[in-house]
Amino acid sequence: MVNLIWLLLLATGIIVSALNGHIESVTTSAMKAAEMGVEVAIELIGVMSLWLGLMRLAEEAGFIKGISRLFGPAIRHLFPSLKQDSPALGAIIMNLSANILGLGNAATPFGLKAMQELQKENTTPDTASPAMITFLALNTSCITLIPATIIGVRLKANSANPTEIIGTTIIATGFAMSVAIIVDYIIRNRRRR
Amino acid sequence: MKVIAEISRWAIPLLLLLIPVLAYLRKVPVYESFVAGAEEGFITGVRILPFLIGMLVAIRVFVDSGALETVSHWLQPMFAFLGLDPNFAAIIPLAIMRPLSGSGSLGVATQLINQFGPDSYIGRLASTLQGSTDTTFFVLTVYFGSVGIKKYRYALKLGLLADAIGLIVSVWIVTKVF
C-alpha cells in the first residue's frame, strides 16, 4: 500500500504539473524536498541526542521503570503482547505524555525509542507487530491539550478568541482516538482466534 | 486552560533539572550516562534519513503541482449541490494534506485562516482540523522505516480511519458549537 501511495503522489504530481504547464517546478520541488529531508534529519539528531541522553539517565536511575509501574497497568491492556516490565512501556508513556502536552519535538525521540524497544520484542522483524500498530494508532490520533501552533496562527490573524478551538479540537481527537483504540482491539482479537 | 498552558511551559525545564539531579542522588554518573545515551540520537537520525527524503520528495512534488486545488475545484459544485457551505471545498486540500505533511498542512491552514478570517466557519474548521489529527502517513513511514519494518499490515488503514473520523467529527462539532 505504501509503495502504491508513494508512486501515486509522485506520478500525479508530475502529470498535473505537466498539464498545468509548469513542469520545471517538479525539478525544483524534488531537489528542495531532498535538501529539506537532510535539514529535518540533522535537526532531529540534535533533539534526539538530547532526549535520549536524558532518557538514559532516567533509565539508569530507575525512573522509567517507576513510570512504567505507575502508569503501566492503565495502558497494559492495550499491549497484551508485551513483556510484564517491558522497557518499551516507559518510552510509549513518555511519547504519549509529550504528545498530550504538545511538546512535538520531544515526542519524536521517545516515539522512535519506543519503536526500537518494540522491535526487540518483535518475532517477525520485517513485519509490524500488533503492539507497534497499537502504539502508532495511539500516537497519531493522540489528544493535544493545547494546539499551540495553530493558536499562534489565529492570534496573528487577529482572532477575537484564538483559543476557542481547543474544545472542538479535543472532542475531534477524542473521537478519533477512541475509534482507533476500539477498532484496533477488535482486529487484534479477531486475528488471535 | 491556563494551568495546562503553564504545565506545557514548565515541563521541559523541570525535566531538564529533575532528571539529572535525582539521577545524581542515585549515584548515576550523570554526564557519562547522558553522553552514552545521546550517541543513539545520531544513529537514529541517519537511519531515518532515506525515509524522510523519499516521503518529502513525493509529497512536495504532489503538493507543488497544484493537484489539490484542481480536486477541490472539481468538488465545489458537489458541495453546493448537497447544500453545504460553498466554501467547504476549500477544506478539501487541508483534509488530504493533513496525514501527509505537517508543515504542508500548516501552510494550507494558515492560508485558509487568513483568507476566510480566523473566526469564520472555514477558519474555525481549519484550526480544529490542524490541531486535531497528526501526520499519520508520514509518522508511519518514518517510524517503521527507523526499525526496518517493511510490512505495515493494517497500521496505515487504522491510522487513516482515525483521521477520517477526526475529519467527520471536526465538521460536525464546528457546525454545532459555533
Side-chain angles (χ1 to χ4, degrees):
Chain A
M1 194 171 175
V2 184
N3 290 313
L4 187 65
I5 294 179
W6 191 77
L7 183 68
L8 275 179
L9 285 173
L10 204 54
T12 315
I14 295 169
I15 293 166
V16 174
S17 293
L19 292 177
N20 286 348
H22 55 84
I23 190 72
E24 67 286 346
S25 76
V26 173
T27 318
T28 42
S29 300
M31 299 299 162
K32 266 200 195 135
E35 266 175 45
M36 207 176 99
V38 179
E39 272 168 40
V40 172
I42 299 271
E43 270 171 40
L44 199 62
I45 288 175
V47 191
M48 283 221 45
S49 303
L50 171 61
W51 286 107
L52 291 179
L54 273 178
M55 189 145 165
R56 177 70 65 96
L57 283 185
E59 247 168 50
E60 287 182 12
F63 302 145
I64 301 283
K65 249 191 197 145
I67 291 172
S68 307
R69 229 172 270 150
L70 201 63
F71 296 100
I75 66 162
R76 270 223 69 92
H77 302 284
L78 298 170
F79 301 96
S81 56
L82 289 186
K83 277 187 268 169
Q84 195 55 45
D85 55 347
S86 166
L89 278 179
I92 290 171
I93 292 164
M94 299 296 277
N95 170 268
L96 295 180
S97 318
N99 266 323
I100 290 169
L101 292 176
L103 311 171
N105 62 1
T108 310
F110 292 132
L112 291 170
K113 176 85 179 162
M115 287 303 281
Q116 287 169 10
E117 297 295 341
L118 290 172
Q119 179 71 337
K120 282 182 200 159
E121 295 184 35
N122 186 4
T123 45
T124 50
D126 71 326
T127 308
S129 67
M132 284 176 177
I133 298 176
T134 307
F135 168 58
L136 285 174
L138 282 180
N139 176 310
T140 56
S141 66
C142 192
I143 293 172
T144 300
L145 293 177
I146 307 273
T149 318
I150 202 70
I151 291 173
V153 171
R154 293 172 61 79
L155 197 68
K156 230 185 262 168
N158 298 318
S159 168
N161 189 357
T163 53
E164 69 181 356
I165 48 87
I166 290 179
T168 52
T169 304
I170 291 178
I171 290 172
T173 32
F175 268 96
M177 197 172 182
S178 313
V179 170
I181 292 172
I182 293 167
V183 172
D184 175 59
Y185 186 82
I186 294 171
I187 297 176
R188 256 187 297 134
N189 280 289
R190 205 197 287 149
R191 298 207 174 200
R192 217 189 295 150
R193 251 173 242 155
Chain B
M1 216 323 278
K2 248 199 165 148
V3 178
I4 301 164
E6 283 299 301
I7 293 174
S8 294
R9 214 161 64 92
W10 281 85
I12 290 176
L14 279 179
L15 279 177
L16 283 175
L17 176 69
L18 288 178
I19 294 176
V21 169
L22 293 173
Y24 185 78
L25 293 177
R26 290 202 170 189
K27 311 251 180 319
V28 175
V30 280
Y31 179 64
E32 283 150 38
S33 292
F34 176 84
V35 174
E39 218 175 46
E40 274 179 60
F42 184 76
I43 307 161
T44 313
V46 171
R47 211 181 290 145
I48 63 168
L49 185 62
F51 301 95
L52 275 173
I53 293 181
M55 282 332 290
L56 286 174
V57 168
I59 290 166
R60 183 76 180 262
V61 167
F62 175 72
V63 168
D64 289 355
S65 72
L68 286 170
E69 286 79 357
T70 313
V71 172
S72 83
H73 196 71
W74 283 344
L75 290 174
Q76 200 147 7
M78 194 189 84
F79 291 122
F81 181 75
L82 288 172
L84 287 160
D85 191 324
N87 289 330
F88 198 75
I91 278 294
I92 300 298
L94 180 62
I96 299 175
M97 183 86 93
R98 193 67 194 101
L100 295 174
S101 155
S103 58
S105 64
L106 181 62
V108 177
T110 306
Q111 191 233 319
L112 288 176
I113 288 167
N114 288 326
Q115 186 186 339
F116 292 92
D119 303 322
S120 66
Y121 175 69
I122 295 294
R124 284 164 172 155
L125 184 54
S127 308
T128 304
L129 260 182
Q130 178 68 23
S132 61
T133 56
D134 205 341
T135 51
T136 304
F137 190 62
F138 192 74
V139 168
L140 253 63
T141 50
V142 173
Y143 276 36
F144 276 142
S146 74
V147 290
I149 298 283
K150 294 201 181 69
K151 293 175 190 145
Y152 296 7
R153 297 176 63 202
Y154 53 93
L156 192 54
K157 282 179 196 139
L158 185 61
L160 293 178
L161 170 75
D163 286 347
I165 300 289
L167 171 64
I168 294 165
V169 176
S170 296
V171 172
W172 172 73
I173 194 75
V174 170
T175 312
K176 204 162 167 69
V177 170
F178 298 116

